[in-house]
Amino acid sequence: ARQPPPDYSFDIRSLRDPGSSLQHCTMQHLSSIEIKQKAEQPLSAMEIKQKAEHKGVVDIVKKIKGKFPGVLPVEEALKVTQQLFQKHGFTPKSCLLAASTCSDEINRVVDRFSDVWGECFNLGGLAGLPFTGKSGFNALSHHIPDNGQLLILFAPHIGVTKTGEVGMIMRRGMKESTTACGSCMAAYEAAISRSVITKDDPDELIGDRQQTIINKIVKSFLPRIEKEREDALVCVANMMYETIKKEILKIIPNDFKYSVGLIGGIHVNTDHGDNENTTSDFFVIKDLMLRKGSSKSPRFRELGTYIETHIKDTYDASDRN
């Protein structure tokens, strides 16, 4: 019988039950931190520290799950999507990976997907919008292996610190947290204050065009944002996701001859500090879509139900053993 992969101690069953406790929520690189308290034996200073760190991980995972239902550790999201698209004939040798994610260096999810699928064509710019546009897509279409497939990962990102602050992140080598996504946060602050933070200079070739566009997009979210004051930044991430998805679908030609798989979601960054016990990043899978190259219809087939099936099959088998 199938067993849950040993590298993932995050209890995925809790995704189906928002009220369940997180009994096994430590990540792979925290699996060695195991607090064992013998009867009537006091904890050492090191064990007390480890126990506190463990509780901190539990708390931050609860916070992330509360804000982003269905969230998975990046490694588990990678595993689920890999298994799904392999069933549809996608392999590292036959497939070209493309990504529309933010330029921010903390977006490690692309690196992890590249470890599995190979070299990645970058479609994205600030906030994860596919700023390379139709020309960028046309360029990558000439890089796909013969009789191969195209797999596109697209996602905005948002940070959550170890204290649970949404929209912020602790970066390596820094004492103070900074914004993530910085572009979306700047646009959000400008929108709610009704101020202008940047304008295109007609005398500059490039200037700040990407941020100018993002400012306009986030400003258009304002009516919805104002209804979601408590979770305004989560609202911005969700609405930016929908914008990126719409733009990705626009740049794929209806008559594109290759099979195309889409993995859409929100990348949740956690602190990237110097502490080796930093929590894993997370990924909310929002869309899994497929269009076969031989299909006469330009419409994509939704594959999202595969996630629930994968979770149920894996853990039902585990429960029987």
Side-chain angles (χ1 to χ4, degrees), residues 2-297:
R2 287 177 294 172
Q3 295 289 337
D7 288 341
Y8 309 104
S9 52
F10 183 83
D11 189 352
I12 305 178
R13 286 174 294 184
S14 61
L15 294 175
R16 303 196 304 273
D17 181 7
S20 65
S21 62
L22 295 174
Q23 298 293 333
H24 308 287
C25 68
T26 52
M27 302 298 109
Q28 176 185 356
H29 57 282
L30 291 177
S31 60
S32 62
I33 303 177
E34 186 175 348
I35 308 302
K36 295 181 179 179
Q37 183 176 6
K38 297 181 180 179
E40 300 181 358
Q41 181 176 340
L43 293 175
S44 68
M46 178 60 70
E47 287 173 328
I48 292 173
K49 179 182 177 183
Q50 290 176 339
K51 188 173 183 179
E53 289 172 346
H54 177 80
K55 183 181 183 301
V57 172
V58 173
D59 290 344
I60 188 59
V61 172
K62 285 182 177 179
K63 178 78 171 181
I64 292 171
K65 282 176 56 62
K67 297 292 185 182
F68 300 96
V71 70
L72 291 169
V74 164
E75 295 294 337
E76 186 65 24
L78 173 61
K79 176 177 173 290
V80 169
T81 54
Q82 179 186 3
Q83 290 178 348
L84 170 62
F85 283 102
Q86 282 180 339
K87 286 187 174 183
H88 290 280
F90 287 61
T91 71
K93 288 186 177 180
S94 67
C95 171
L96 174 67
L97 175 67
S100 190
T101 58
C102 185
S103 309
D104 197 321
E105 75 280 358
I106 62 175
N107 286 328
R108 297 174 292 190
V109 67
V110 177
D111 296 335
R112 294 300 300 115
F113 273 76
S114 290
D115 288 343
V116 170
W117 294 104
E119 295 175 334
C120 180
F121 189 103
N122 182 26
L123 290 166
L126 293 179
L129 286 161
F131 278 107
T132 61
K134 293 182 178 180
S135 293
F137 189 89
N138 182 60
L140 74 80
S141 69
H142 297 289
H143 304 173
I144 299 171
D146 295 339
N147 302 312
Q149 310 91 17
L150 173 65
L151 183 63
I152 303 178
L153 170 71
F154 61 96
H157 73 116
I158 186 169
V160 181
T161 68
K162 64 182 179 182
T163 60
E165 186 176 7
V166 177
M168 303 296 289
I169 197 77
M170 182 64 72
R171 298 173 188 269
R172 183 172 56 84
M174 299 181 67
K175 294 181 179 179
E176 300 293 335
S177 58
T178 60
T179 56
C181 168
S183 175
C184 285
M185 286 286 287
Y188 166 72
E189 293 294 340
I192 61 174
S193 64
R194 270 69 172 182
S195 63
V196 177
I197 59 172
T198 183
K199 290 179 64 176
D200 269 340
D201 186 338
D203 295 327
E204 292 185 1
L205 180 62
I206 296 176
D208 211 6
R209 293 185 182 182
Q210 290 193 15
Q211 187 62 42
T212 300
I213 292 171
I214 293 165
N215 292 347
K216 293 178 181 178
I217 291 172
V218 175
K219 185 177 180 180
S220 71
F221 299 163
L222 203 55
R224 172 78 175 272
I225 292 171
E226 290 178 335
K227 294 179 181 180
E228 303 284 345
R229 280 294 184 185
E230 185 175 347
D231 291 317
L233 298 179
V234 175
C235 178
V236 170
N238 282 316
M239 296 190 73
M240 185 58 73
Y241 170 78
E242 294 298 333
T243 302
I244 295 170
K245 176 184 174 181
K246 181 173 68 174
E247 295 302 318
I248 287 289
L249 292 174
K250 281 182 182 179
I251 64 175
I252 302 174
N254 289 341
D255 58 352
F256 193 59
K257 66 179 182 179
Y258 297 100
S259 293
V260 183
L262 302 179
I263 302 171
I266 296 176
H267 182 192
V268 182
N269 307 113
T270 58
D271 283 343
H272 286 215
D274 299 320
N275 186 343
E276 64 178 5
N277 295 327
T278 298
T279 312
S280 169
D281 277 2
F282 294 84
F283 196 82
V284 186
I285 301 175
K286 295 181 75 69
D287 284 292
L288 295 171
M289 305 169 73
L290 175 67
R291 192 178 79 189
K292 291 287 189 179
S294 58
S295 174
K296 295 181 180 179
S297 170

